[in-house]
Amino acid sequence: MDNLQIQIGIKIREFRNALGYSIEELSHKAGLNPSHLGKIERGERNFTIGSLEKILNALYLTPAEFFSENKAPCPSENYLITKTLSYLQCMTVEEQEHIYKTAVFLSERQPHKLKE
């Protein structure tokens, strides 16, 4: 396989892992088959520019960010917030309000630690 194809696959996997997505989650968000995405990540499958665009959109990346030498996956970012926001975007406003009220309720039940 082409060295560039392998490098792109590795970079996709790095960004996916930094966001905490499984192959199944990313493939669902990108509208691709999980097996196909796995083969893309391993450099075993040719892919179209359209497929790459779907993957980058699902990873919240522009092509310039993805191919930039300076843009690296940042596992220190809170991927749980990113994942939660992506799920919330697919919900109705009523569902979002329900989730918000649940989060507020749960946070009020937790004892807050005092800063020393």
Side-chain angles (χ1 to χ4, degrees):
M1 281 290 150
D2 187 316
N3 189 31
L4 178 60
Q5 187 170 312
I6 293 169
Q7 290 174 351
I8 290 172
I10 290 168
K11 200 158 185 179
I12 289 169
R13 180 182 295 121
E14 289 172 351
F15 278 104
R16 175 178 62 78
N17 287 333
L19 287 173
Y21 288 136
S22 67
I23 285 184
E24 290 77 17
E25 287 174 304
L26 181 59
S27 65
H28 176 73
K29 290 178 67 56
L32 300 172
N33 181 291
S35 174
H36 181 67
L37 179 59
K39 289 177 182 178
I40 290 173
E41 284 189 356
R42 293 187 300 275
E44 298 171 354
R45 174 72 53 97
N46 287 325
F47 53 90
T48 65
I49 296 297
S51 292
L52 180 60
E53 183 177 31
K54 289 177 182 181
I55 293 167
L56 297 185
N57 287 337
L59 292 171
Y60 309 104
L61 294 169
T62 66
E65 290 172 327
F66 181 76
F67 289 106
S68 170
E69 297 274 334
N70 300 326
K71 178 73 174 175
C74 184
S76 64
E77 293 176 3
N78 190 334
Y79 72 89
L80 289 175
I81 291 175
T82 303
K83 285 174 65 172
T84 302
L85 290 174
S86 71
Y87 289 121
L88 286 170
Q89 290 172 343
C90 299
M91 296 179 177
T92 66
V93 172
E94 183 178 276
E95 291 169 329
Q96 292 171 356
E97 287 174 354
H98 182 71
I99 297 295
Y100 172 75
K101 288 176 183 176
T102 302
V104 169
F105 173 76
L106 291 173
S107 70
E108 289 172 350
R109 294 185 65 209
Q110 300 298 316
H112 296 284
K113 294 182 180 179
L114 298 175
K115 293 182 180 180
E116 296 179 26

